[in-house]
């Protein structure tokens, strides 16, 4: 009885190492060099015309931390990012659940909901600035008619930041809907049917069946929304330019004002950037820990 020879192992094709050079160069140019420059500028006297002039130690960091405008911008940034992220995640998750309850795919309605997401941020700002214009703005005129008194949401320091939060939520909620809806498609139909047979209501089904599956995605989306909220700049620059007064000056806009306006103090602006990065890391660390815990619980 003859035995057949073992099949030869497939040949392994080695990819030339030089093919990894383009992405490495891109990482160095787009990530490593800017990071090194910001850190170096934070500890030197730096302007736009003359970068890295001389070592100043912690002078720039001290100036950044002692600046009242920057301290206020950090508070507004946290308020903006946290409130916008929580609101967008909650609304987006609710809309995704409603779309999933309808059955079938995303549908025409879901596609229309994505329009704010694909609109350029500058155009979003321009459109809302026109809608909320104190004279002739369609939305402002409607609100004023219903309230019986002139209303200017962007002209009051007590409502301007909240108005920007709502505009940001309008723009980024579709991303939450898209990601959470995709996660809801992974909920096994057998579990939903078993819950229905056991007489579980909608709330019980959500907490016991749906939420354990989608929780890692929802927390990941919350993490992403926090990062997007912390780095908001274009919306503030286009709609309010930081006004009225300093009521909508967030940290990224204050960095812009310090480094690219006035004295063009790039060194202090770089120090502000480091402080902002540290703040973002501290705030998002908690959400990251919750996301990791939820992922482990699901597995």
């Amino acid at each position: 009885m003859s035995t057949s020879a073992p099949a030869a192992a497939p040949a392994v094709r080695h990819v030339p190492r030089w093919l990894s050079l383009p992405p490495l160069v891109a990482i160095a140019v787009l990530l490593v060099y800017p990071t090194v420059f910001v850190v170096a500028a934070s500890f030197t006297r730096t302007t736009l015309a003359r970068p890295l002039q001389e070592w100043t130690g912690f002078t720039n960091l001290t100036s950044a931390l002692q600046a009242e405008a920057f301290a206020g911008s950090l508070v507004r940034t946290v308020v903006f990012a946290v409130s916008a992220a929580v609101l967008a995640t909650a609304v987006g998750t609710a809309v995704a659940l409603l779309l999933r309850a309808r059955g079938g795919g995303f549908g025409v309605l879901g596609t229309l909901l994505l329009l704010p997401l694909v609109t350029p941020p500058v155009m979003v700002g321009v459109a809302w600035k026109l809608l909320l214009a104190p004279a002739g703005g369609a939305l402002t005129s409607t609100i004023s008619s219903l309230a019986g008194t002139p209303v200017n949401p962007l002209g009051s320091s007590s409502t301007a930041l909240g108005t920007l939060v709502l505009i940001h939520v309008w723009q980024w909620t579709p991303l939450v809907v898209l990601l959470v809806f995709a996660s809801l498609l992974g909920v096994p139909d057998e579990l939903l049917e078993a819950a229905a047979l056991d007489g579980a209501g909608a709330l019980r089904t959500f907490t016991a069946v749906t939420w354990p599956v989608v929780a890692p995605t929802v927390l990941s989306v919350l993490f992403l929304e926090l990062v997007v909220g912390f780095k908001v700049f274009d919306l503030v620059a286009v709609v309010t330019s930081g006004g009225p007064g300093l009521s909508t000056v967030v940290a990224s806009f204050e960095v812009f004002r310090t480094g690219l306006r006035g004295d063009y103090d790039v060194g202090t602006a770089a120090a502000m950037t480091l402080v902002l990065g540290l703040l973002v890391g501290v705030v998002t660390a908690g959400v990251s820990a919750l996301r990791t815990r939820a992922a482990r619980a699901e597995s």
Side-chain angles (χ1 to χ4, degrees), residues 18-267:
W18 61 266
L19 289 178
S20 63
L21 185 60
L24 292 177
V25 172
I27 292 174
V29 172
L30 299 177
L31 179 62
V32 177
Y33 173 74
T35 302
V36 172
F37 179 82
V38 168
V39 173
S42 300
F43 297 96
T44 58
R45 187 160 61 90
T46 298
T47 62
L48 283 179
R50 300 180 61 188
L52 311 179
Q53 297 177 46
E54 60 180 342
W55 177 264
T56 59
F58 292 96
T59 302
N60 291 331
L61 285 171
T62 302
S63 300
L65 294 175
Q66 290 179 347
E68 293 184 5
F70 181 59
S73 71
L74 288 177
V75 175
R76 285 186 289 272
T77 300
V78 173
V79 172
F80 180 94
V82 173
S83 58
V86 171
L87 188 57
T89 303
V91 174
T93 301
V95 173
L97 289 170
L98 290 176
L99 289 175
R100 180 56 177 154
R102 292 173 59 250
F106 211 56
V108 177
L109 178 60
T111 304
L112 292 176
L113 289 173
L114 296 179
L115 289 179
L117 184 61
V118 300
T119 304
V122 173
M123 291 305 300
V124 171
V126 171
W128 277 98
K129 188 174 183 178
L130 293 175
L131 287 172
L132 295 172
L139 190 55
T140 302
S141 300
T142 302
I143 297 175
S144 298
S145 299
L146 294 175
T149 183
V151 175
N152 184 10
L154 296 176
S156 173
S157 58
S158 61
T159 59
L161 187 64
T163 303
L164 290 182
V165 169
L166 294 178
I167 297 174
H168 183 86
V169 169
W170 176 85
Q171 180 184 5
W172 288 99
T173 294
L175 177 63
V176 181
V177 175
L178 182 64
L179 296 177
V180 176
F181 182 84
S183 180
L184 287 171
L185 296 178
V187 179
D189 292 333
E190 297 81 4
L191 294 180
L192 296 175
E193 294 173 357
L197 291 174
D198 290 340
L203 180 60
R204 178 60 179 170
T205 301
F206 173 76
T207 56
V209 178
T210 305
W211 177 249
V213 176
V214 302
T217 299
V218 173
L219 293 175
S220 297
V221 170
L222 178 61
F223 179 88
L224 178 61
E225 289 289 335
L226 275 174
V227 174
V228 172
F230 273 112
K231 64 186 288 291
V232 66
F233 171 82
D234 40 26
L235 189 62
V236 175
V238 173
V239 179
T240 63
S241 297
L246 300 177
S247 60
T248 59
V249 173
V250 293
S252 60
F253 194 78
E254 181 62 21
V255 171
F256 165 74
R257 294 201 319 158
T258 303
L260 299 178
R261 287 185 180 179
D263 296 332
Y264 300 98
D265 189 356
V266 177

